[in-house]
Amino acid sequence: MISFELNRHLEIDEEFQGINLTEFAVVLEAEINNDEIVDRFIRSKNLSYDSLRDCVKKEPGIGYLRQAFNIEKISISDFRKLNKEKTRQFLLDFSNEPDWGNDKDEFKTLLNRYLEIHQQFGDDNYFYVLSKDWFSPDDKKLLIPESWCYTYYFIIVSIDRENNVLTIMEWTYD
């Protein structure tokens, strides 16, 4: 048995880009590996509802963009497992992509704000990264039209086994 209890929710926005960060206490009744924890989390209402932005939860009928991944189609094997430093490097490499245009400064500001949070994660944390860019536009693992509307969309799930905490960070630009 495993359950997730909401600890905190934080929304960091810079123009039309943002990070939606939600932290959960992980309650385990048996020893479960990290892959199984993440797999169960991505299929739970904790991802599909508790991790949503506050405005979406308050006004679900407004038509805000949903998450870009089809949760019933993705699996743990779609994620890249990274350590703390490689996750930081993934974000830095993403920020140095050549085709940003005028939006790069906003992403850099967002990234700098996130890196302050990232430093607080333990060096032994495990990170699972999933980006819409890793799929073809018509892949069944992406929701349409949501995935088309996002310039970028990726999620990072961090697991802190020492403190039994799971943090999901949804990065979006719409």
Side-chain angles (χ1 to χ4, degrees):
M1 176 74 182
I2 184 172
S3 63
F4 304 96
E5 298 173 1
L6 183 64
N7 281 348
R8 72 176 174 142
H9 179 80
L10 175 66
E11 297 177 15
I12 305 167
D13 294 310
E14 193 64 37
E15 296 296 324
F16 297 103
Q17 301 179 57
I19 304 168
N20 188 36
L21 183 148
T22 312
E23 180 184 275
F24 297 89
V26 180
V27 181
L28 301 170
E29 291 183 14
E31 186 61 31
I32 298 174
N33 69 40
N34 293 331
D35 288 3
E36 193 170 340
I37 291 171
V38 173
D39 196 54
R40 288 190 188 185
F41 176 78
I42 63 175
R43 300 186 190 310
S44 72
K45 80 168 189 71
N46 303 104
L47 175 64
S48 63
Y49 181 76
D50 295 335
S51 298
L52 294 175
R53 287 187 165 267
D54 291 336
C55 63
V56 177
K57 287 189 274 192
K58 286 179 188 170
E59 301 176 298
I62 293 286
Y64 293 106
L65 282 176
R66 296 182 298 167
Q67 295 163 322
F69 295 112
N70 183 339
I71 300 306
E72 295 180 14
K73 302 280 185 194
I74 62 171
S75 71
I76 192 65
S77 63
D78 295 314
F79 287 80
R80 293 185 184 166
K81 298 175 213 175
L82 306 174
N83 65 22
K84 182 179 178 179
E85 180 54 34
K86 287 184 179 176
T87 302
R88 182 182 159 284
Q89 192 60 51
F90 164 81
L91 294 167
L92 293 172
D93 291 347
F94 189 81
S95 73
N96 290 320
E97 289 289 320
D99 53 350
W100 272 100
N102 296 331
D103 303 322
K104 186 174 185 171
D105 290 340
E106 285 83 11
F107 185 82
K108 289 274 193 178
T109 301
L110 194 63
L111 177 60
N112 288 334
R113 291 176 67 190
Y114 170 74
L115 289 175
E116 292 174 15
I117 295 167
H118 190 76
Q119 288 176 359
Q120 297 170 19
F121 289 117
D123 290 335
D124 294 332
N125 277 35
Y126 298 88
F127 294 85
Y128 292 75
V129 180
L130 183 65
S131 173
K132 83 172 188 87
D133 293 341
W134 301 340
F135 302 92
S136 66
D138 60 344
D139 194 303
K140 300 293 184 205
K141 294 180 181 187
L142 298 176
L143 292 175
I144 296 172
E146 286 79 4
S147 61
W148 296 344
C149 298
Y150 290 112
T151 302
Y152 66 77
Y153 182 98
F154 54 88
I155 59 176
I156 300 173
V157 179
S158 170
I159 297 181
D160 176 351
R161 291 304 292 254
E162 184 177 326
N163 296 305
N164 289 325
V165 172
L166 180 144
T167 306
I168 181 163
M169 295 140 290
E170 176 188 43
W171 293 65
T172 62
Y173 179 19
D174 55 39

